[in-house]
Amino acid sequence: EERRDQGQKMVEGGIAKADKTEFTECWKTTWKTPYIMRLALSAGIGGLLFGYDTGVISGALLFIREDFDEVDRKTWLQSTIVSMAVAGAIVGAAVGGWINDRFGRRMSILIADVLFLIGAIVMALAPAPWVIILGRIFVGFGVGMASMTSPLYISEASPARIRGALVSTNGLLITGGQFFSYLINLAFVHTPGTWRWMLGIAGVPAIVQFALMLSLPESPRWLYRKDRVAESRAILERIYPEEEVEAEMQALKESVEVEKADEAVMGDSFIAKLKGAFANPVVRRGLAAGVTVQVAQQFVGINTVMYYSPSIVQFAGYASNSTAMALSLITSGLNAIGSIVSMMFVDRYGRRKLMIISMFGIITCLIILATVFSQAALHAPKIDAVESTTFAPNATCPAFVPLTAPNAPPSRWNCMKCLRSECGFCASGGHPYAPGACVVLSDDMKATCHSRGRTYFKDGCPSKFGFLAIVFLGLYIIVYAPGMGTVPWIVNSEIYPLRYRGLGGGIAAVANWVSNLIVSESFLSLTHALGSSGTFLLFAGFSAVGLFFIWLLVPETKGLQFEEVEKLLEVGYKPSLLRRRKKAKDAVDTA
C-alpha cells in the first residue's frame, strides 16, 4: 500500500527530481568517474555497428545494382537485400532478450560482435545476390541483439541522474555510425570492388568492441539478480559516490526480493516468465509504453529515409550517384547532431516532452514534403514527342510509341509519367527543365544520353522544387533525432522491472524491427503505387496516430531510480488532462 501511495504521488505531482539536471552534470560526473564513460562508450560501439550496418546499404545498393543486372531490374530484390537485415534483427532481438536474462548483458554484446563479423565477411566476398542476402541476415542477428543490449547495459551501469544522457550516447553512436557509413560510401565510390569494401569494413569495429568488452564487467544489476552480490557491490562502488552505494544496494535488494517472490509463484522457465510478464500489471503497462514508442519510431518513416536516402534524393531530381550520396551524408550528419541535442536535454526536460515535440515537428515536415513532391511531379519537364522518336534507333519508350502515331491526340506526358511507365528520361541539353526524350530504360541508353552531354533520369525528374525536398528532408531529421530518434531506446532501457528487463526490452525491440521490416519492405512499392507525395502523406497519418498513443500511454521517467519507475507503473499512468477530468467528475459526484 505504501508503494502504491508513493507511485500515486509521482503521477499526481509530476517528477521534479531531475529538473536541475543539465548536460554539464553528465560531463562532471563522467570526468570525476571516467570508468562510467568507458562502460558507456565500449557498449555503445554496438550502437555504432547498428548505425553503420543499417546506413551503409543505402549507398552500397546503388553499386550492387550496377554489378548485378537482376538486382537492377527487380525492385523486390533490392527491397529484400535491404530488409533481410531487418528480418534478422527481429530474430536477434527476440533471442537476445532471453540471452540477456539468462547469460548476461556482456555475453550478449560479445555474441552480437561475432555475428557482425561473420556477416561482414560473407557480404564482402559474396559472388551472387543471394550470398549478400545471407550476409545481411547474419548482420541482422547482430543488429537485433545490439539494438536492445547496448542501451540496457549502459542504463544499468549509469547513475539515475545522468542515465538519460548516457543512454543517449548509444543513440549518438547509432547516428554517428550512419554518418560514418556515408563517409565510407563516398570514400570507395571510385575504388574497385566499391560495395564489397563498404559492407566488409563493418568487421573492424566489431573486433574492437569484442576486445574492449572482454576487459569490462557484467551489469551490476544482473549480477545481483544472480546472487553475485559482492561483484555487484564492487562495480557499484566504481560508479557511485561512496555515500550513495548503500542506498543503491538496498534498493536492489528490495527489488530482487519482490521478483524472487514472483518467481517462486510463476517459475523460472522462459514460458513461465512470459506468462508472468503478461500477468504482471507493471510489466503490461511498461510494455504498452515501450512497444508504443518503438512502433511509432518506425512508422514515422525514418528508416526509409536512412536506407533509401540516395534514392529519395534521386526522386527529388538529383540523378548522379555521387551527388545523391553526398547529399545523404548531410542528412545523416544532421541525425548525429540531433542525437547530441538529445543528450543535452533528455535529463533536463524529460523523455515524454521531447518525444511529443519531436512528433509535432515530424508531422509538419512530412506534410510539407508530400506537398513538395506533389508539386515536383505536376511541374516535371514535358516529353518532346519528336525527340523521343528520333533520339536513337529503337530508343522510344514502348508505352509512348502509340502516342507518336500520325493521328494520335497531343501527348500530355511529362517526365514523371515516363518514369512510371518504367522508361528513362534524357533531359534537354540546353535547359534542364525543358522538354526531353522518353526513351527505353537501359545502360546503353544511359551511356548514349551522357555521350551527348545530357543527364539520364530513372528514379526522379529534374525539378525546381528539388532543393526544397532536400531542405525539408534535413528539417525532418533535425526534429526526429533528439526526440523519436534516441528517446524510445532510453524509455525501454528503464521502464521494466529487473526480472523482466531483458524480456520486455526484447519484445519491444522485436516490435520495432517488425515495424521496420514492414515499412522498409513496402517503401519502394508504395512510391511506385502512391508516388513519393502519397507515401510521405501516409507516414504523416501514421505519425499522428503515434503521437496520440504516446500522449496517452507513456509516463515521464526522467531522474527516477528503476525501483521508482516500478512504483509509478503500479498505479497506472494517465495524462494530466485525463486526470483533471477525473478529478472534476469525482468532485461533481461527491457534491
Side-chain angles (χ1 to χ4, degrees), residues 384-386 388-390 396-411 413:
D384 187 319
V386 174
S388 296
T389 54
T390 60
T396 310
C397 169
F400 189 71
V401 169
L403 300 175
T404 62
N407 297 322
S411 168
W413 273 42

Side-chain angles (χ1 to χ4, degrees), residues 312-319 371-381 415-416 425 427 431-434 455 457 460-470:
I312 292 170
V313 169
Q314 288 181 335
F315 291 156
Y318 296 91
T371 305
V372 167
F373 276 103
S374 173
Q375 290 302 306
L378 285 173
H379 296 89
C415 169
M416 197 59 68
F425 178 78
H431 192 283
Y433 309 125
T455 306
F457 291 86
C461 295
S463 171
K464 296 174 184 176
F465 299 93
F467 80 96
L468 282 176
I470 305 303

Side-chain angles (χ1 to χ4, degrees), residues 465-484:
F465 299 93
F467 80 96
L468 282 176
I470 305 303
V471 167
F472 283 100
L473 204 59
L475 284 173
Y476 165 82
I477 289 167
I478 287 170
V479 296
Y480 165 85
M484 291 308 295

Side-chain angles (χ1 to χ4, degrees), residues 84-146:
M84 275 304 101
V86 184
I90 294 169
V91 178
V95 176
W98 175 78
I99 293 174
N100 265 275
D101 284 338
R102 177 67 65 180
F103 300 106
R105 310 349 180 183
R106 177 171 168 269
M107 180 58 71
S108 297
I109 291 173
L110 291 171
I111 293 170
D113 287 330
V114 172
L115 292 167
F116 276 126
L117 184 58
I118 293 170
I121 293 170
V122 169
M123 288 188 295
L125 302 176
W130 71 267
V131 183
I132 299 174
I133 291 169
L134 181 64
R136 293 284 292 164
I137 292 171
F138 271 104
V139 162
F141 292 154
V143 165
M145 290 184 69

Side-chain angles (χ1 to χ4, degrees), residues 495-506:
I495 205 165
Y496 308 109
L498 178 58
R499 167 167 156 75
Y500 297 107
R501 199 163 292 149
L503 181 66

